[in-house]
Amino acid sequence: MILLDGKKLALKIQEDIKKDVELLKQASITPGLAVIMVGDDPASRVYVKKKAEACKEVGIYSVVHEMPENIKEDTIVNTIKLMNENDSINGILVQLPLPEHINQTKILETIDPKKDVDGFHPFNMGRLFLDLESFVPCTPLGVMKIFEEYEIDLKGKNVCVVGASNIVGKPMSALLLNAFATVDICHIYTKNLSEHTNRADIVIVGVGKAGLITEDMVKEGAIVIDIGINRLDNGKLVGDVDFENVSKKCSYITPVPGGVGPMTIAMLLANTIKATKL
Ligand code: NAD
């Protein structure tokens, strides 16, 4: 079994990004990322902190707009509009989830698609599905970079994607389809999940349920990518895959932590550089 080391790959990518930032700075351009965070969700707070630290590490200027849980939708919209016009901001990201009373689609549609470094704007999502140049959501993009690094060919492979959210499963499936994989997308209403996963050469899971994928659900030699992040009662961070037992059957597997998570951050930095160069 080969461990797909996302942490190591992310560090390598960050080193390249650092060089890119230096070159941009020589041309008097400092890439800038604005993050909007609404409310006080502890997990979101951790992610926002990690994103800001990663920006600092590579020399990207970042600013976090913290807003209270009861903020009015219009205030968020107006803040985004200001940043759309601000030349020192190249990328805009709204940390999800947003509180119930905020229309998430409206917020995401307010971001200028050219600054949409999360790739969640319908414009970018549509272009992704048409296999046109676009901003690609960071987590699925990070998974594709892992495949590239480990020279895992996707053409003609049966891939089962478990989890079909707009930010993980759907864009992941589009990328795989664009790479000519045969894609099976599963979700909460899928019947007999293990029949789907057992047919797959590659299983990619992003659900948010610890231990969802067990040993009997993957075939011998399968490649398993675990996107899930779950905090157990004892404080331990785990994915959606029963790593200990599933890893014995796999040819390749990502660990949690240290797999897809660091790649997501690295891709955010890469998308911010891409937006700056635009
Ligand atoms: P979500 O709740 O929006 O979507 C979950 C998806 O899983 C839905 O499509 C749902 O139908 C499906 N699902 C739920 N229970 C299921 C079951 N029993 N069987 C099959 N499908 C089921 O969540 P999300 O935002 O897509 O995040 C999913 C997971 O990925 C979470 O653990 C999240 O923390 C993690 N995540 C990780 C990263 C990273 O960088 N590694 C980034 C984003 C999200």
Side-chain angles (χ1 to χ4, degrees):
M1 181 272 293
I2 295 173
L3 203 64
L4 298 167
D5 192 339
K7 192 172 173 188
K8 191 169 149 199
L9 176 56
L11 282 174
K12 194 168 110 184
I13 292 171
Q14 276 177 227
E15 283 310 309
D16 291 341
I17 290 175
K18 231 183 225 178
K19 288 178 200 145
D20 263 357
V21 173
E22 275 162 25
L23 284 177
L24 284 165
K25 284 186 175 170
Q26 280 168 22
S28 301
I29 299 164
T30 300
L33 174 72
V35 178
I36 294 182
M37 162 141 177
V38 183
D40 202 25
D41 176 58
S44 293
R45 194 162 279 286
V46 172
Y47 298 141
V48 167
K49 189 167 165 240
K50 279 191 179 170
K51 288 168 187 176
E53 281 169 0
C55 282
K56 194 167 173 208
E57 176 63 32
V58 299
I60 292 175
Y61 161 74
S62 79
V63 56
V64 180
H65 293 270
E66 291 203 26
M67 299 181 172
E69 182 86 20
N70 61 357
I71 192 91
K72 287 207 174 81
E73 194 173 278
D74 279 354
T75 313
I76 309 178
V77 167
N78 291 334
T79 306
I80 294 173
K81 282 182 178 166
L82 281 175
M83 287 184 292
N84 283 342
E85 300 304 320
N86 185 339
D87 287 342
S88 62
I89 296 298
N90 306 100
I92 303 170
L93 174 168
V94 178
Q95 186 65 38
L96 301 179
L98 289 168
E100 288 279 308
H101 69 282
I102 307 285
N103 179 341
Q104 184 175 300
T105 306
K106 183 175 174 190
I107 297 300
L108 295 178
E109 281 183 326
T110 306
I111 299 173
D112 180 344
K114 292 192 289 300
K115 296 190 177 188
D116 175 34
V117 286
D118 253 346
F120 297 160
H121 191 294
F123 177 86
N124 282 311
M125 204 58 92
R127 288 185 66 89
L128 168 62
F129 273 80
L130 296 174
D131 200 10
L132 299 171
E133 179 60 34
S134 66
F135 282 105
V136 177
C138 304
T139 301
L141 183 60
V143 173
M144 294 303 279
K145 289 282 171 199
I146 292 177
F147 288 140
E148 203 180 297
E149 175 73 10
Y150 286 85
E151 295 179 356
I152 294 169
D153 187 20
L154 296 166
K155 210 173 280 174
K157 294 274 164 62
N158 289 326
V159 186
C160 180
V161 178
V162 188
S165 70
N166 288 347
I167 65 172
V168 177
K170 282 183 200 163
M172 186 74 253
S173 307
L175 286 166
L176 293 162
L177 188 57
N178 292 343
F180 303 108
T182 300
V183 189
D184 187 3
I185 313 169
C186 300
H187 46 78
I188 189 139
Y189 296 112
T190 299
K191 293 191 182 101
N192 303 321
L193 180 62
S194 66
E195 274 180 24
H196 294 266
T197 55
N198 260 312
R199 270 200 301 266
D201 304 308
I202 304 176
V203 178
I204 303 179
V205 53
V207 167
K209 286 198 175 131
L212 178 72
I213 304 296
T214 48
E215 181 188 0
D216 55 309
M217 293 173 77
V218 295
K219 72 176 184 187
E220 203 69 48
I223 297 169
V224 175
I225 306 288
D226 192 354
I227 297 175
I229 303 176
N230 309 287
R231 177 87 55 191
L232 300 182
D233 290 342
N234 63 10
K236 196 178 168 207
L237 209 62
V238 296
D240 291 343
V241 176
D242 170 9
F243 183 87
E244 196 190 331
N245 295 306
V246 172
S247 60
K248 290 177 192 147
K249 275 182 100 175
C250 293
S251 54
Y252 295 88
I253 189 167
T254 56
V256 177
V260 178
M263 287 302 294
T264 298
I265 306 254
M267 292 304 101
L268 172 65
L269 303 175
N271 277 350
T272 305
I273 299 303
K274 179 173 163 171
T276 308
K277 288 180 178 170
L278 277 179

